[in-house]
Amino acid sequence: MPYDINETHDPKLESWVESANDPETDFPIQNLPWCVYFIEESLDFEPIGGLGVRLGESVVAIEPLIEAHLLDGVRAGDVSLLDFGTLPEFQALGSTLHRTLRARLVELLTADNTELRGNRGLRNAALLPIDQLLTLPLAPFPNYTDFYASLHHATNVGSMFRPDNPILPNYKHIPIGYHGRASSIVPSGTPIRRPVGQQAPAEEGGTPGFGPCKLLDYELELGVIVGRGNELGVPISMEDVEDHIFGMCILNDWSARDMQKWEYQPLGPFLAKSFASTVSSYIVTMEALAPFRTPAFERAASDPQPLPYLDSKYNRTHGGVDITVEAYLTSADMRKRSMAPVQLSKGSFKDMYWTIGQMLAHHASNGCNMQPGDLLGSGTISGPKRENRGCLLELTWDGDPMATPPIAAPGTQRTPIKLPTGEERKFLADGDEIILKAYCERDGFRRIGFGECRGIIEPARR
Ligand code: CA
């Protein structure tokens, strides 16, 4: 099995870094997600930073550990951890080396280990308090592709846009996706400027409008970060595919629905999506996610089975990942009045129709070369129930595609979400903040989390 459960997942493990033992933390010793950090007070001068893993309320910097020869034993065959110079080279080292590195980091940070803890100078250089840092995802992402892997989301949206024909005939045969825009991916906390663009004419045959988006939405997604790439012309098989995945992060695929509706046919989303996408600061590794793997989505008996190039025994039994995802909203007024964010939705990544392995294998099946650090979005994560709907387009829609005949199919009926200030939302207003969270829980294992993915809407540029 590509990612097995081992001693690094032991729920009894504790760290000498006390804050990592807090039962509420997203970042216990069993997690160790990767980030790039910068020491905040250095940013005005010559920025000091590097690669690190989050642990409790600290980041553990990797470079001081390498310089102190504490990671010399981290090898896989001929490859040593010391062979990586750039971030993509590090991500491409492959799961065997990453597994060895994880085991060594867990060893160094475990409660009774004194190799790092006992060396005060080194400890101060390597263990950095989070409140003095800016943490960023492992970026830039060379490429970005967004999928559409939730059948629940596709059915809801399809029912609104094409009531007679919500699920197109290809959907259950190929993981649908489109090439996104890597240059406009921003880290959590970056303000999101409301986009301006062309929108559908008010009546058929009329003139389209051009102006600030009126139907701005978020999409609750997870991102997959490619580890090892593949050569141009050489596909990735389902047997190998998990070894090409470095880890996962939270992704908000901001969407301009009025622009999307006007432009999406015939070639799919374009400017409705490319103005910004937000990612969380931390990449949770596939090793850390091993205890939370689940069987792939159970297809209805009447559904087609995946073609052989999208099928493997491992994928059937472990292709899914049980990650709980949540979306929250605060308005500017709510923040002014110190009100807690309102939860918009809660769902699970295990409800996705296509697995992360299938998305990556399909992407490379034509010989397209995937590169270390490439970002694959999952598509909006929606589940069978109303509270599982991962965007406002679905949440404020009165429809139910499961009802016969479907209720409110054309998407004309919308029930706004009521906020504690008395404000109402069908789509996002200027000043609104969207906060996405993700975490994994399973009996017998330590809870691990992804941190947060945040963005506040700013008014359109005049
Ligand atoms: Ca999307």
Side-chain angles (χ1 to χ4, degrees):
M1 259 191 262
Y3 297 107
D4 47 357
I5 295 169
N6 55 44
E7 66 282 357
T8 67
H9 303 102
D10 182 348
K12 291 196 287 295
L13 275 182
E14 293 209 325
S15 174
W16 49 265
V17 178
E18 279 301 323
S19 57
N21 305 326
D22 179 346
E24 301 290 311
T25 184
D26 273 358
F27 311 110
I29 191 169
Q30 291 84 351
N31 193 353
L32 304 181
W34 290 91
C35 66
V36 170
Y37 71 87
F38 287 98
I39 295 176
E40 230 159 29
E41 64 179 18
S42 76
L43 288 176
D44 290 340
F45 309 102
E46 204 166 314
I48 301 170
L51 194 61
V53 291
R54 177 79 188 256
L55 177 67
E57 294 304 298
S58 298
V59 164
V60 181
I62 296 304
E63 215 175 314
L65 305 184
I66 292 175
E67 281 169 9
H69 298 286
L70 285 181
L71 300 179
D72 282 4
V74 178
R75 311 187 64 85
D78 292 342
V79 183
S80 152
L81 177 64
L82 309 177
D83 294 339
F84 82 85
T86 65
L87 192 55
E89 284 169 15
F90 169 71
Q91 286 167 311
L93 285 171
S95 61
T96 312
L97 193 128
H98 283 131
R99 190 159 38 222
T100 316
L101 175 57
R102 171 182 165 86
R104 177 59 176 152
L105 289 173
V106 167
E107 183 182 21
L108 285 173
L109 298 163
T110 298
D112 56 4
N113 188 291
T114 57
E115 288 174 84
L116 175 57
R117 181 190 200 172
N119 181 338
R120 191 161 154 205
L122 180 60
R123 197 179 65 213
N124 288 342
L127 195 69
L128 308 169
I130 192 72
D131 56 7
Q132 294 169 20
L133 304 177
L134 172 69
T135 55
L136 296 172
L138 309 184
F141 304 96
N143 293 281
Y144 166 45
T145 300
D146 198 25
F147 283 88
Y148 195 52
S150 162
L151 178 62
H152 300 289
H153 172 69
T155 306
N156 288 339
V157 174
S159 303
M160 284 175 236
F161 286 17
R162 295 177 307 274
D164 304 330
N165 191 17
I167 293 296
L168 296 175
N170 57 7
Y171 186 86
K172 293 176 176 177
H173 296 278
I174 53 178
I176 299 292
Y178 67 95
H179 285 111
R181 185 78 198 164
S183 65
S184 53
I185 298 173
V186 296
S188 178
T190 308
I192 302 300
R193 176 79 64 183
R194 179 179 297 273
V196 169
Q198 232 188 83
Q199 297 138 19
E203 61 227 41
E204 216 169 305
T207 307
F210 183 84
C213 163
K214 295 183 199 74
L215 308 181
L216 185 57
D217 203 352
Y218 70 94
E219 288 191 342
L220 170 53
E221 303 195 14
L222 291 173
V224 173
I225 311 296
V226 174
R228 211 152 53 78
N230 59 303
E231 271 177 56
L232 185 63
V234 183
I236 299 173
S237 74
M238 282 299 285
E239 275 63 41
D240 281 343
V241 73
E242 294 271 345
D243 196 47
H244 289 261
I245 302 175
F246 178 74
M248 297 181 71
C249 63
I250 311 173
L251 170 69
N252 184 343
D253 178 30
W254 303 98
S255 299
R257 300 300 184 194
D258 37 6
M259 292 157 60
Q260 182 180 357
K261 195 170 177 182
W262 179 227
E263 74 176 9
Y264 89 102
Q265 293 194 100
L267 281 183
F270 184 27
L271 302 186
K273 304 279 190 172
S274 60
F275 57 95
S277 312
T278 306
V279 290
S280 58
S281 293
Y282 303 101
I283 312 294
V284 177
T285 63
M286 297 318 293
E287 288 88 2
L289 290 168
F292 310 102
R293 300 306 295 256
T294 61
F297 185 87
E298 195 175 330
R299 294 181 169 223
S302 54
D303 281 3
Q305 288 307 305
L307 289 174
Y309 82 100
L310 293 174
D311 186 37
S312 74
K313 186 160 174 278
Y314 180 85
N315 188 68
R316 268 173 264 144
T317 56
H318 292 81
V321 201
D322 186 7
I323 303 170
T324 303
V325 290
E326 297 175 347
Y328 296 83
L329 182 148
T330 62
S331 67
D333 197 22
M334 286 170 68
R335 290 194 301 281
K336 209 180 296 165
R337 293 158 69 173
S338 302
M339 290 173 165
V342 168
Q343 190 179 76
L344 297 173
S345 73
K346 180 174 180 171
S348 174
F349 195 65
K350 72 174 173 358
D351 287 332
M352 301 303 268
Y353 194 79
W354 294 102
T355 66
I356 55 176
Q358 287 170 324
M359 289 184 240
L360 179 53
H362 179 67
H363 203 319
S365 64
N366 65 347
C368 173
N369 51 333
M370 308 304 293
Q371 293 177 286
D374 278 355
L375 177 67
L376 309 186
S378 63
T380 306
I381 304 164
S382 294
K385 296 182 188 151
R386 191 179 187 96
E387 63 262 30
N388 307 139
R389 296 177 179 179
C391 62
L392 288 170
L393 180 70
E394 290 171 86
L395 278 169
T396 63
W397 173 53
D398 272 343
D400 182 356
M402 306 314 251
T404 34
I407 301 165
T412 48
Q413 292 177 42
R414 293 202 162 267
T415 304
I417 288 167
K418 290 186 172 36
L419 305 181
T421 48
E423 299 170 283
E424 292 188 341
R425 289 290 182 275
K426 290 179 183 169
F427 288 94
L428 296 172
D430 292 343
D432 284 354
E433 181 172 34
I434 290 291
I435 306 155
L436 306 182
K437 300 182 185 184
Y439 54 88
C440 302
E441 289 174 327
R442 183 182 157 195
D443 280 351
F445 291 92
R446 185 72 154 92
R447 175 195 186 278
I448 62 169
F450 286 69
E452 294 180 339
C453 181
R454 289 174 174 262
I456 294 183
I457 306 301
E458 289 191 334
R461 197 171 284 283
R462 292 264 161 227

